[in-house]
Amino acid sequence: MNKDQNLLTIKNLTIDYEVNSGTVHAVDNLNLEIGYGETLGFVGETGAGKTTTALGILKLLQEPRGRIVSGEIYFEGENLLDKSKGEMRNIRGSQISMIFQDPMTSLDPVMPVKKQIAEVIKLHNSISNKEANKKAKEMLETVGIRKERADDYPHQFSGGMKQRVIIAIALACNPKLLIADEPTTALDVTIQAQVLELMKDLKEKFDTSIILITHDLGIVADLCDNVAIMYAGSIVEYGDIDSIYNNPLQPYTVGLFNSIPDLDTEKKELQVIKGTLPDPTNLPSGCRFHPRCSKVFDKCSRVETSKIEVEPGHFVNCHLYNDNK
């Protein structure tokens, strides 16, 4: 595959959940591209659709309630939605891996960590138990855990070390794409920094592309090349770190940055985005952010937004930047 092309391309992806109260429109007409060796920050409030998008990529939605309604997901030029269950099992772990949110519940409590890493290695490689265990110990040392602890159980590790074990499992088969869903949740600040530094080092060592799902704009600035801002199932702004951080355009993106404390200025209170995310079973007409937007005008409630390139590589979904507003 030509590395001038994208590793992952998502086109018009729509994902719904059927619940007792109706249809939850979790992801709507989402478009996204990720290049080889790129780290993309995926930012938005809880319920915006970030994790659902990740599960959609891996085809791990719980059917029949969760389903991909339409769209295409191309990984190295092949549409994952055309793959069989068996083909997807071969892809997960070997080519695309995911770090799930909670390391405390992602590990099997009755199995030594070495065996849990070796299990993934054996699943995707024709090697002996001895070779798989050796590789598992090497992966533990790669993430900063002494190989002497390979036969320990998850309860014998701290939260930060469990997260390192999860990362070792995810990278054991050297995947081309790593999806990290809130990888530092429930970790203290010092351990967060260690885990993020580890991910940086491993990205360089393995040349892995990363989708980093997070609420923390500071983590995105430190680790990512590009950032996608997601709101109510859609990406409302996309660009490289410099463009988004130095020139945020969509009022929702501006609101996210205004809610972060600034050490250089004195403020008695932070600016907050009024209201809450809309009910996903009953989304607003027009721009979905308009009920909470400080710059709303008549068109916002009537007409859906479309992607506008305001400068090279910097896209925004907002009527403020439409020449025909």
Side-chain angles (χ1 to χ4, degrees), residues 278-293:
D279 179 354
T281 64
N282 185 26
L283 293 168
S285 59
C287 173
R288 292 180 179 177
F289 185 59
H290 87 261
R292 305 173 68 187
C293 184

Side-chain angles (χ1 to χ4, degrees), residues 54-63 88 92 98 100:
L55 294 175
I57 293 169
L58 289 164
K59 293 180 72 174
L60 286 175
L61 295 166
Q62 291 191 353
E63 297 177 337
M88 283 306 301
R92 295 185 204 113
M98 185 164 178
F100 292 93

Side-chain angles (χ1 to χ4, degrees), residues 260-281:
I260 301 172
D262 186 349
L263 298 178
D264 297 325
T265 58
E266 275 192 33
K267 286 185 180 179
K268 290 186 178 179
E269 58 184 44
L270 295 174
Q271 297 181 43
V272 296
I273 303 171
K274 66 179 183 179
T276 58
L277 275 171
D279 179 354
T281 64

Side-chain angles (χ1 to χ4, degrees), residues 151-171:
D151 291 313
D152 287 354
Y153 289 83
H155 73 271
Q156 296 174 279
F157 291 89
S158 66
M161 292 184 79
K162 286 178 187 173
Q163 191 64 288
R164 288 169 182 263
V165 173
I166 294 292
I167 293 172
I169 292 171
L171 292 174

